Amino acid sequence: MADIQLRFDKDMLVLSTPFSLTLNRLGFDESDRDYVVLCESESVEEAFKFESMAQTPVFVLPTENLTDARLMHSRFEGQGATMVQNCLEALDNFNPQHVIAAIGPTGLPLDESSKSSLRQSFEQYKRAVLLLSEQEIDGIYFSGFDNGYDAQCALMGARAVYDGPLFCSFVLDEEGRLSSGSHDLVSAAVLARESGADVVGVVSGSEPSRLLPWVDEVAAALDCPLLVELVVAHPDRRQAFPSKENPYPRTDHVVDAALQLRAHGVQFVRVQGNATPAYTGGLVAVLSGLDVHLPSAKGKGVSSSDVAEGFCAEGGVS
């Protein structure tokens, strides 16, 4: 695997789809994720097989539930190392360009005014990242956050034990807001960058006409590569034209959105939701070999060397 950081702001890259899509195909649901990864790891290999067929350049390990809190919730406490090992062993028959590991929110309640609450969250993510820090991966992806303070805990916890590339994405509602209300999008993105993120992104199912202005706001505020995950609501070949309720019914609609995102400075693209493998295959076919388009008015932002040494929030951990 090459160093993905050497490709920042250079090559368009597509990320593999979330493991939840494979779970659905195999008749499982999201509550079965940890059981499948830990006890039926051949299913992880099955997911990677589809991505390999599509020649997806960046494989994302399905380690979203690696924190102690998530493993305890599914009654697999103490099995984090096994989860990581199973995912890495599933890669043995494949040769992706890059591999990054995903970590999702802990799901624990977070009181940003409480130092102990922030510390608890910080330690959860720190311990999860420690399980990955010595592995041969290209980066860690904190995916699907809706709380800026929680993302800050995750990134600061990671930076305490890991110096590789960090990715972070925020889930947006149909108005471009974080559901927690902790921050608006731009302030959450800036906080993530200040806390150690090398790549910042958004997750949205909105149509490009609504999504692109939000992307522009983030691009204007930051100096780092951008990532966008497009949420596919309902694949439907019979739907000739996108609609507000279902903006990405066909592969060509996602491809068109991805090309627009590239024109607005996005480097990393991913599909999720109910996307089929054909969606990822379409993205790879169109984006492979393209350079990143860097808008002339790119934000000054902060550099990774400016990472804060303590939490900005009052009562944070120093």
Side-chain angles (χ1 to χ4, degrees), residues 8 35 37 43 69 75 85 121 145 152 162 164 167 272 294 303:
F8 284 178
Y35 166 77
V37 174
S43 297
R75 300 189 179 185
Q85 191 61 38
S121 182
F145 281 69
Q152 185 184 36
Y162 180 74
F167 298 63
Q272 60 151 283
L294 298 177
S303 68

Side-chain angles (χ1 to χ4, degrees), residues 115-317:
K115 185 173 182 177
S116 61
S117 179
L118 291 169
R119 172 59 71 177
Q120 179 187 40
S121 182
F122 173 93
E123 292 294 340
Q124 284 270 332
Y125 295 114
K126 177 182 173 182
R127 287 193 294 270
V129 172
L130 272 173
L131 297 173
L132 296 164
S133 60
E134 299 302 320
Q135 305 299 332
E136 293 186 10
I137 58 176
D138 289 285
I140 295 173
Y141 178 21
F142 292 106
S143 64
F145 281 69
D146 67 357
N147 185 305
Y149 294 118
D150 196 18
Q152 185 184 36
C153 290
L155 291 160
M156 297 291 287
R159 277 290 172 242
V161 294
Y162 180 74
D163 60 3
L166 295 179
F167 298 63
C168 182
S169 67
F170 294 100
V171 179
L172 304 181
D173 65 16
E174 61 183 13
E175 299 300 325
R177 299 174 299 202
L178 278 64
S179 61
S180 69
S182 65
H183 296 82
D184 59 38
L185 171 58
V186 171
S187 62
V190 169
L191 184 60
R193 181 68 173 134
E194 290 175 341
S195 301
D198 298 287
V199 178
V200 178
V202 299
V203 179
S204 173
S206 295
E207 64 271 28
S209 62
R210 297 173 64 82
L211 175 59
L212 291 172
W214 304 334
V215 170
D216 288 342
E217 290 177 357
V218 175
L222 302 182
D223 67 338
C224 64
L226 303 180
L227 179 155
V228 171
E229 290 195 36
L230 297 170
V231 182
V232 176
H234 178 57
D236 186 354
R237 293 183 178 181
R238 298 168 298 176
Q239 185 179 332
F241 302 100
S243 64
K244 182 178 180 180
E245 294 74 23
N246 193 26
Y248 309 110
R250 291 168 25 184
T251 302
D252 55 322
H253 299 136
V254 159
V255 166
D256 179 66
L259 290 172
Q260 293 182 65
L261 290 168
R262 173 180 177 258
H264 286 250
V266 173
Q267 177 175 11
F268 296 91
V269 183
R270 190 188 200 191
V271 286
Q272 60 151 283
N274 293 310
T276 63
Y279 279 85
T280 298
L283 291 177
V284 173
V286 172
L287 297 178
S288 292
L290 293 183
D291 295 333
V292 176
H293 176 76
L294 298 177
S296 56
K298 191 170 183 180
K300 294 181 179 179
V302 294
S303 68
S304 57
S305 62
D306 295 328
V307 173
E309 294 182 355
F311 287 116
C312 298
E314 183 178 353
V317 182

Side-chain angles (χ1 to χ4, degrees), residues 19-37 39-40 42-43:
F19 188 57
S20 55
L21 300 176
T22 298
L23 290 175
N24 292 337
R25 285 198 300 267
L26 297 176
F28 296 101
D29 59 34
E30 191 61 30
S31 65
D32 300 314
R33 169 189 288 270
D34 295 344
Y35 166 77
V36 173
V37 174
C39 303
E40 297 190 12
E42 66 274 8
S43 297

